[in-house]
Amino acid sequence: MSKGLIVYFSQGGTTARVTEYIATGLRTAEYRVDLCNMKDECPPNLDGYDLLGIGSPAYYYRPPFNVMDYVNSLPDLNGLPAFVFVLHGTYRGDAGNTIRHTLASKGGREVGYFHCRGADYALIYLKAGHLFSPDHPTAEELAQAEAFGREVAAHVAGKPYIRPRDDHPPSMVYRLERFLTSRWVVRQIYSRLFRVDAKTCTACGLCVEVCPVGNIAADKDGRPIWGRNCLGCLTCEMRCPQEAITTPANWPVSRLFTAYNVCQASRDSSLDHVRVIHRHGRTQRV
Ligand SMILES: Cc1cc2nc3c(=O)[nH]c(=O)nc-3n(C[C@H](O)[C@H](O)[C@H](O)COP(=O)(O)O)c2cc1C
Ligand code: SF4
Ligand code: SF4
C-alpha cells in the first residue's frame, strides 16, 4: 500500500476540513494517509512516504511564515510526487504559486493543485463588520476536494498531468499590503507593539493557548508577553474575551487598507459576504 503525508496549517479549521476530504479521496485509491496540522505538532520526516501534500491558508496574499519555513526546510525531494492546496477568504494572490515553486525547486514532482474558499476570520474584517466566504468550504467544495484526492492518486499512478497555470499575482495595492506584513516588518516592528491593558486583562491564559506558534508567554502575573516569532494572524487579539489586547491592526493606516479591501471584496459578486459584530472574542452574524 502506498503511503501519503499531508502537512497543513489550519488555525480556523477550514484547511483541516479540506485536508480530511482530500485524504478520503486518497484512501479510496488505496493510500494510507497521515495528517499533520503544524498548529499542533511537528511534521515527521519523509522517510517511507510516496506522496507529500501541503495545505495552507492564504495570509496577506502569500502562505503564512510557518508554512514556508516548513517547505523551505524540506530536503531534496528527488522526484517525490507532491501536491498543494490553498484556502482563501477573498483573493489568494501568490500563496499557491509560492508553495508550488518552492516544492519544484526542491525536486518535488507536482501531481495536483487545488484551491477553494474558506470562511475569512481575519480580525481586520470582523472588526469592520464583515465576514467573507462565511459558509465555505461548501459541501460542493468538499466533494471537489475528495475528487481531487482521487485524481492525485491517478496522476501518481501514471495518468498524464497537465500542470495548472500559476495564479495571477496580486494587484499593486495588495502587494503593498503584503510588503507591510512581511516577516521583517512583523518581526522588527509589529511584534514590539502588541500591548495588553493590565486593568482589563484577567490573566485567563487564552491568548497564550491559542497562539499557533507558541509566541506568547505569561508574565509573573499571568499577562501575555509577546516574542518575535509572530505570524500576524491576530488570533490573540481576536479571541481575548476582555478585549485587552491591541495590535498594529488597530492603527489608522491599517484601517485605511481594510476599508479598501472591504470595498473591493464586497463589490465582487463571486464572493459571499455577511455582516457581523465581533465583541469580547466572539463573532456573531447580524
Ligand atoms: C491573518 C489572516 C490573513 C488572511 N489573508 C488572506 C488573504 O490575503 N487572502 C485571502 O483570500 N484570505 C486571507 N485570509 C483568509 C484565510 O485564508 C481563510 O479564511 C482560510 O480559510 C483560513 O484557513 P483556516 O480556517 O484553516 O485557518 C486571511 C486570514 C487571516 C486570519
Ligand atoms: S486572553 Fe485577554 S484576558 Fe486572557 S490573558 Fe490574554 S490578554 Fe489577558
Ligand atoms: S498574532 Fe498573536 S496569536 Fe498570531 S502568531 Fe502573533 S502572537 Fe501568536
Side-chain angles (χ1 to χ4, degrees), residues 35-158:
L35 309 181
C36 172
N37 187 349
M38 296 170 58
K39 179 168 81 74
D40 304 319
E41 54 188 325
C42 287
N45 79 39
L46 297 180
D47 293 348
Y49 289 107
D50 310 295
L51 174 67
L52 172 66
I54 307 285
S56 177
Y59 272 16
Y60 310 109
Y61 318 103
R62 52 164 168 68
F65 306 136
N66 56 341
V67 172
M68 284 319 295
D69 284 347
Y70 171 66
V71 177
N72 281 318
S73 76
L74 288 169
D76 182 356
L77 296 176
N78 201 17
L80 183 74
F83 64 91
V84 172
F85 56 103
V86 168
L87 274 279
H88 58 108
T90 56
Y91 308 112
R92 63 187 171 278
D94 278 332
N97 300 345
T98 307
I99 303 173
R100 293 168 77 196
H101 291 185
T102 309
L103 281 177
S105 74
K106 295 264 171 189
R109 175 167 69 86
E110 184 174 302
V111 287
Y113 174 48
F114 179 79
H115 50 80
C116 72
R117 295 202 196 279
D120 193 336
Y121 282 85
L123 182 65
I124 49 172
Y125 297 155
L126 301 180
K127 279 188 152 183
H130 301 266
L131 171 60
F132 292 101
S133 303
D135 300 310
H136 290 256
T138 59
E140 190 186 350
E141 287 166 324
L142 293 171
Q144 288 166 356
E146 188 173 334
F148 171 77
R150 290 194 298 271
E151 198 55 16
V152 162
H155 290 307
V156 179

Side-chain angles (χ1 to χ4, degrees), residues 210-264:
V210 296
C211 176
V213 286
N215 188 47
I216 310 178
D219 71 9
K220 63 176 178 30
D221 300 315
R223 296 191 194 105
I225 312 171
W226 286 267
R228 300 278 195 82
N229 181 31
C230 175
L231 300 181
C233 69
L234 303 176
T235 308
C236 47
E237 182 184 349
M238 178 169 78
R239 296 283 301 278
C240 174
Q242 302 301 322
E243 301 187 348
I245 295 174
T246 47
T247 68
N250 301 291
W251 292 351
V253 65
S254 309
R255 290 205 210 112
L256 206 64
F257 282 112
T258 302
Y260 173 84
N261 294 4
V262 165
C263 180
Q264 295 294 313

Side-chain angles (χ1 to χ4, degrees), residues 138-213:
T138 59
E140 190 186 350
E141 287 166 324
L142 293 171
Q144 288 166 356
E146 188 173 334
F148 171 77
R150 290 194 298 271
E151 198 55 16
V152 162
H155 290 307
V156 179
K159 182 177 173 185
Y161 177 67
I162 300 167
R163 184 186 183 279
R165 284 182 182 193
D166 282 358
D167 292 321
H168 285 297
S171 69
M172 281 307 289
V173 177
Y174 296 144
R175 273 187 238 185
L176 177 60
E177 292 179 24
R178 188 173 58 184
F179 170 74
L180 293 172
T181 53
S182 64
R183 179 169 254 175
W184 187 89
V185 177
V186 172
R187 181 181 280 273
Q188 298 301 336
I189 303 175
Y190 302 153
S191 289
R192 299 171 195 255
L193 298 168
F194 282 53
R195 296 281 181 267
V196 62
D197 179 348
K199 290 197 192 97
T200 47
C201 172
T202 56
C204 70
L206 186 63
C207 50
V208 177
E209 194 185 307
V210 296
C211 176
V213 286

